[in-house]
Amino acid sequence: MSTRSQGQSTPAGRPGSSRAGQQPYPAPGSSARPGGSRAGQSTYLSPRTIARDKWSRIFGGSAYLEAGPSNRLVLSIRSWVPAEVDFALDRFLQVSGQDPELLRFVELPGLLEGLVDLIRAFLDARVEDRSSSTFGLWVDQAKETTRRRACEAALVLRNLTTDKHNVGVVSKSKKIRPLIADVLEEGALEGGEDTNELRVYLLEVLEVIAEETPLALPGQQARSNKTGAIVPITEAPTSPAFRLFPLLVALTRSADRALVIASFRCLTALSLNDTSDAALALLTYESTEPLPKPLPHPIQTAIELLPIADADLGAVVLDYIYQHTLLPANAVLFCARPDLLQILRLVCTKLHLGAKKETIEVVLPLKGSEAEEWYKTQPPRHKRNIGLSQQRELSAKLEGDEISRLAALAEPARTLNWLRTVFEAAPDAEVTQVALWQAYRSEFEPLVALKITGALLPASDVIKMSSEAFVDALPMVIEQPEKRFVIRGMRIRDRTDMRTVYICRWSGCPAPLGPSSPSTLYWHLHHTHLAASPPPPKCAWSTCTYTSPQTSPSLLTADLTLHARTHIPSYHPPPGYGNPPEPHLDSQGAIPDPPITMQHERYHAQLDENLEVTGLGFLACLVLRNVARTVKVALGNPAGGASVNSLAQGEMSIFEAIEAASEGTEQKDGVVARLEKIDFAEAKSGAEALMGLENKLVRTTVEDHGLGKILGEVLEVVTVCRKAMANREKAEENEVPMEA
C-alpha cells in the first residue's frame, strides 16, 4: 500500500490529489500546462494564481481568497458585526481595485447578496429617518457609518462588475436593477446630496448591464429581439423598466458633473437594447402619459451642453447624440430642427480637439510661370519669402530707397525709423501687436535671409519701440468683449499715392500734386496751411482728428508744425550709418529670389490601441454622418454603406429600415407602429444645414486624413443636396404659371 493510501494527503487542487478529496470550488488560477506535469517540470502559474499568492502574502494567509460558501470575508460581510463588516470591506476594496478577476461571484456565493444588503440597509435607514421629526437636522456617527459602508459596498460591486466573468451574474440578478432605481429615487428627494457618491457607483454598474436592461413606457408595445414580433410589455408599473428612464432624464439636468456624465453614459448604453427604442424616442417622450416630464428630453440637454469646453462631458454628449440619431424617428426629428445648422457648427468645433497639429512647408518653384501669377492672386494664408527685387511691386509699405536706407541702419534705429515710416500717430486708433510684429517680419526677414541687413529684434522689443516712435502709443490688453493685445495711439500710414509723388492730403488743398519730395511737402504744409493767419485749430490731414491744446497763434502754429511731421516720414538717413552692403547677385547680375514656400496645417486625430481613429473628432464625424445618411434617405436615394448600428451580418441598417418603413407595409397599432410611420420626408430641411457646412467639411477632409474617411461620405451627400437644389430651381424656372 502506498504512503498516500495510509492516510497522507495532499492539498486539494494540487497535482497528485485524488478527485474524492478535491473541493467543489478549486483555488482560483490553479492549472497545469496541457499534457499534465512530469517530474522535474514546473507547474504553469496563471496570472490569477500569481495575483492570489501576492494577496495571500499581504493578508497573511490564503483563507481570505479561497473559493466556496465558507469564505472568511464573505461570512464576515454577511455577519452584520460592525468590526467584521469593516474588516471584510477593507480587504475587498483592496483586491477589487487592483485584481478584480480574483473575486468572482460564482466562486464566492453570497458576496453579491451581502453587498446589496449593505446598500439596502442605508436606504432603509434614510426612510426611517425621513419618518422621524429629526430628519435633516443632524447626522450621528451611526448614520455616517451606514452611508460609508454602503458606498464602499457599491464601489466593490462596481469594481467587480468590470470583470467579464461577473457581468452575467450581476445582469441576471433580480436585486440589482430595483436597487439602482431605489437609490436614484432616494437621491432625487430632499437631502439626497449625500447619495451622490453612491449613485455614481451604481450608475457605472448600470452602464455595464445596460444592454441587457430594457426600458419601457406605460402601455407600450415592443418588438422582440429574437422573433421580431410585436409583444406587449408585461412589466409591473414599479418595475425598473418604467422607473429608470425618467430618473436618468432628471440626472442629466443635475448640478453634479459626475452625475451628468454617468447618466448620459447610461442612456447611451441603454439605447443599445433594441426593445428600448420606444422609451428613448423623442416623439413618445413628448406625447405618452404620464410623460412629458417637467424636464426636457436628454437630446435637448445634450445640445445645450455642446458649447462647454469639457473633454469628458463633450465625449459623452456626442456619443449620446450619435446613439440618439441611430433611431430612425429620432434621426428625422433631429434633422428637422430649425436650429440644425447651429447645432452642427457646434459639433464641428469638436473635430480637432485632442488632435495633434503639424505645420508643413512645401517649396514651390513657381518663378517665371503662369502658376506664379495664379499664386499671387490667392488669399494671404501662405507665407512668401520676398526678395529685394520683388519688394517694390508687391509691397505698398516701403519704396526701394526706403528699403536701402533702413537696411543700412543698426538696431534699434532701424525699427524706430521703420515705425515712423510705416505708421503714424492717431490718438483714437489702435494696431494689434500681432499685426505689428508680422508687418516687421514681412519687411525685414527676406533681407536677413539675403544677408542684406542684421538680425531681427524680438517681438517684445519691437512692440516696446512703438512707445518711443510715438509718444502717445501705449501697448495694452483689452479684456472686453474679448481679450486682445493692441497698441493704442497709432495706425498704419496711408501711403497709397506716395510711391512716385508726394500728395498733400490736407483738406481743401489748392495744389495737392505740387510737392515732389518729403522736404517740399513739409515746406508746402507749413507755408500753405499752418502759417496762415489765423492758423487752423486742428490738423486737417486726411482723417486725422488731432486738435492742438495751444491757444496763442504762434504756439498753435509751432505745435501743428511739429505734429505735421508725423504725416511726413523722413527719407534722409541720419549721419554716420554709411551705405547699405552690396547684395549677392546671380549669374545674370540680378538679385536672386528665394523659393516660394507654402505653409499647410495638418491634423492627426487620436488613435486607439488598434490604430483606429477615436476621440471627440471621431464622435463628431459620426454625428455628421448620421445626419447626412438621414438626409440622403429623405431625398429619395438608397442608403449606402454598411450598417451604422453594428448589427449582425445580413440585418438591415437603421436607414434601410427607414426606407422600408416609408413604403407602407402592414398596419400596426401601438408605439412601435408610430415609430415606423414617421414621415422621414421632414428630414429634407437638413440638406440646407449640410450645405452650410460644406467649406468646413472640405477643409477638415483635406487637413485630417483620418477624419476625412468618414467625412467623405458626408460630402457625397452634400453633392447630392446641391444637385437636388439645382434640379428644383431649374424646375421652378421652367414652370409655366397658370392663367387666371
Side-chain angles (χ1 to χ4, degrees):
M1 183 177 295
S2 65
T3 306
R4 287 180 185 155
S5 61
Q6 294 177 359
Q8 279 188 330
S9 62
T10 57
R14 296 185 181 274
S17 62
S18 62
R19 291 194 175 185
Q22 288 185 355
Q23 297 179 358
Y25 296 94
S30 296
S31 61
R33 291 187 181 276
S37 61
R38 299 179 182 178
Q41 292 184 350
S42 60
T43 303
Y44 168 70
L45 298 179
S46 67
R48 288 191 71 207
T49 303
I50 298 174
R52 184 172 181 270
D53 292 342
K54 177 191 71 174
W55 288 108
S56 297
R57 291 191 300 270
I58 294 175
F59 294 155
S62 60
Y64 300 108
L65 297 179
E66 285 185 351
S70 300
N71 180 272
R72 170 75 169 82
L73 298 180
V74 175
L75 294 177
S76 297
I77 208 170
R78 303 200 67 181
S79 67
W80 291 104
V81 178
E84 292 293 330
V85 172
D86 292 338
F87 171 81
L89 284 175
D90 178 66
R91 280 153 178 76
F92 277 137
L93 282 172
Q94 295 183 56
V95 179
S96 65
Q98 299 185 34
D99 299 298
E101 67 276 2
L102 292 181
L103 303 176
R104 296 178 180 175
F105 291 128
V106 294
E107 297 176 351
L108 300 172
L111 175 57
L112 179 60
E113 290 75 9
L115 297 174
V116 171
D117 291 342
L118 288 175
I119 302 173
R120 182 65 66 180
F122 170 65
L123 294 179
D124 295 340
R126 284 185 58 85
V127 173
E128 182 180 352
D129 286 348
R130 194 181 301 111
S131 61
S132 64
S133 58
T134 60
F135 176 70
L137 300 180
W138 57 278
V139 177
D140 59 14
Q141 187 64 30
K143 295 177 183 177
E144 176 59 26
T145 301
T146 304
R147 189 197 69 83
R148 174 184 59 79
R149 289 171 181 161
C151 291
E152 291 179 355
L155 180 56
V156 172
L157 179 60
R158 185 263 266 174
N159 291 343
L160 297 185
T161 309
T162 59
D163 183 46
K164 61 181 180 180
H165 298 90
N166 292 328
V167 175
V169 178
V170 176
S171 180
K172 294 177 182 177
S173 175
K174 297 182 179 180
K175 297 182 178 181
I176 294 297
R177 293 175 180 83
L179 175 68
I180 295 175
D182 291 342
V183 170
L184 296 183
E185 286 182 347
E186 187 66 31
L189 300 177
E190 182 181 358
E193 292 80 8
D194 57 349
T195 66
N196 285 359
E197 181 182 0
L198 183 61
R199 285 188 284 176
V200 170
Y201 293 150
L202 292 182
L203 284 174
E204 294 185 25
V205 175
L206 176 61
E207 181 186 354
V208 176
I209 63 174
E211 198 167 351
E212 303 297 329
T213 304
L215 298 179
L217 293 175
Q220 83 166 62
Q221 292 175 319
R223 188 179 298 280
S224 172
N225 276 338
K226 297 181 179 179
T227 63
I230 296 179
V231 295
I233 298 296
T234 58
E235 300 279 355
T238 57
S239 169
F242 295 102
R243 298 162 60 195
L244 283 175
F245 182 67
L247 292 170
L248 292 174
V249 171
L251 285 180
T252 60
R253 310 291 291 193
S254 172
D256 191 310
R257 173 180 176 274
L259 289 176
V260 173
I261 292 177
S263 59
F264 270 114
R265 290 174 65 96
C266 285
L267 288 170
T268 302
L270 287 167
S271 63
L272 298 177
N273 191 315
D274 294 340
T275 60
S276 303
D277 287 352
L280 295 168
L282 178 60
L283 63 90
T284 55
Y285 179 84
E286 294 177 343
S287 59
T288 305
E289 295 296 337
L291 301 176
K293 295 294 183 182
L295 297 172
H297 192 274
I299 187 61
Q300 182 62 34
T301 305
I303 293 171
E304 294 174 3
L305 294 176
L306 275 176
I308 298 179
D310 187 321
D312 295 333
L313 186 60
V316 297
V317 165
L318 285 175
D319 198 6
Y320 174 75
I321 296 177
Y322 165 67
Q323 292 292 339
H324 173 83
T325 51
L326 286 179
L327 185 64
N330 289 342
V332 170
L333 294 177
F334 187 80
C335 293
R337 292 179 63 107
D339 57 347
L340 179 62
L341 177 58
Q342 289 72 24
I343 295 173
L344 296 184
R345 283 175 176 169
L346 288 175
V347 172
C348 289
T349 61
K350 315 291 184 180
L351 288 173
H352 294 318
L353 291 181
K356 294 181 180 180
K357 183 179 178 181
E358 179 184 11
T359 302
I360 302 175
E361 288 191 356
V362 181
V363 179
L364 298 180
L366 300 179
K367 183 178 179 181
S369 65
E370 295 181 1
E372 182 179 9
E373 300 301 325
W374 167 85
Y375 186 74
K376 294 176 183 178
T377 64
Q378 299 307 301
R381 56 180 295 217
H382 304 308
K383 180 185 69 174
R384 295 179 61 93
N385 294 331
I386 303 174
L388 190 59
S389 62
Q390 296 174 313
Q391 189 79 17
R392 180 181 296 272
E393 64 178 79
L394 294 181
S395 176
K397 296 179 181 179
L398 297 179
E399 294 296 313
D401 55 344
E402 294 176 316
I403 297 173
S404 301
R405 178 180 62 85
L406 293 177
L409 301 179
E411 293 293 2
R414 181 180 65 189
T415 302
L416 186 63
N417 281 269
W418 172 77
L419 287 169
R420 291 172 176 171
T421 301
V422 176
F423 298 90
E424 64 181 357
D428 299 330
E430 65 182 31
V431 177
T432 64
Q433 297 179 14
V434 174
L436 176 67
W437 168 244
Q438 290 178 347
Y440 174 79
R441 286 185 59 189
S442 65
E443 293 289 0
F444 296 109
E445 197 171 42
L447 305 181
V448 174
L450 295 173
K451 300 180 180 181
I452 297 177
T453 187
L456 302 180
L457 282 180
S460 58
D461 293 347
V462 175
I463 295 172
K464 292 178 183 178
M465 290 291 294
S466 61
S467 298
E468 297 185 24
F470 306 101
V471 178
D472 297 329
L474 178 64
M476 60 192 307
V477 180
I478 299 178
E479 299 289 346
Q480 299 294 337
E482 60 182 5
K483 193 171 184 179
R484 295 186 301 122
F485 296 85
V486 302
I487 303 175
R488 179 64 61 81
M490 58 183 291
R491 67 185 174 197
I492 298 178
R493 188 187 300 274
D494 187 3
R495 298 166 49 83
T496 306
D497 298 325
M498 296 181 67
R499 296 182 183 179
T500 55
V501 295
Y502 301 93
I503 300 176
C504 178
R505 294 182 174 276
W506 194 273
S507 179
C509 179
L513 297 178
S516 59
S517 66
S519 58
T520 57
L521 178 58
Y522 178 72
W523 184 90
H524 167 80
L525 266 177
H526 177 75
H527 292 280
T528 305
H529 305 297
L530 303 179
S533 181
K538 62 179 182 178
C539 179
W541 182 276
S542 186
T543 58
C544 182
T545 59
Y546 176 77
T547 301
S548 176
Q550 306 297 331
T551 56
S552 171
S554 59
L555 294 178
L556 180 60
T557 301
D559 181 65
L560 288 177
T561 301
L562 290 174
H563 167 76
R565 295 180 181 178
T566 63
H567 298 298
I568 307 174
S570 174
Y571 276 55
H572 301 286
Y577 285 100
N579 297 322
E582 291 295 332
H584 298 281
L585 304 179
D586 57 15
S587 58
Q588 282 78 29
I591 299 177
D593 290 335
I596 300 174
T597 59
M598 297 174 57
Q599 287 187 341
H600 290 281
E601 294 179 350
R602 186 166 65 183
Y603 293 88
H604 301 277
Q606 289 181 321
L607 302 178
D608 57 15
E609 59 275 6
N610 298 322
L611 301 182
E612 298 291 339
V613 180
T614 186
L616 287 172
F618 175 67
L619 293 174
C621 287
L622 293 182
V623 173
L624 295 172
R625 188 177 67 177
N626 279 3
V627 173
R629 288 181 172 180
T630 306
V631 171
K632 188 174 183 179
V633 175
L635 294 175
N637 296 277
S643 170
V644 297
N645 203 18
S646 301
L647 298 176
Q649 186 175 4
E651 296 183 2
M652 290 191 304
S653 69
I654 60 163
F655 297 101
E656 293 170 336
I658 293 179
E659 191 172 354
S662 67
E663 298 175 358
T665 54
E666 51 184 333
Q667 297 293 328
K668 303 181 180 65
D669 297 323
V671 176
V672 175
R674 294 177 60 201
L675 296 179
E676 292 183 348
K677 294 178 181 178
I678 183 70
D679 184 10
F680 64 91
E682 300 175 2
K684 290 183 178 180
S685 59
E688 296 182 359
L690 288 178
M691 290 187 292
L693 295 174
E694 185 175 8
N695 293 336
K696 175 65 176 178
L697 297 177
V698 171
R699 186 164 62 251
T700 304
T701 303
V702 174
E703 294 174 343
D704 195 318
H705 177 69
L707 301 184
K709 297 178 181 178
I710 305 174
L711 295 180
E713 181 178 346
V714 181
L715 288 174
E716 291 180 2
V717 177
V718 173
T719 303
V720 173
C721 296
R722 293 285 184 193
K723 293 180 179 179
M725 176 173 288
N727 293 336
R728 184 179 64 182
E729 293 176 353
K730 185 176 181 180
E732 292 176 354
E733 292 177 357
N734 296 333
E735 184 178 357
V736 179
M738 297 180 61
E739 297 181 359

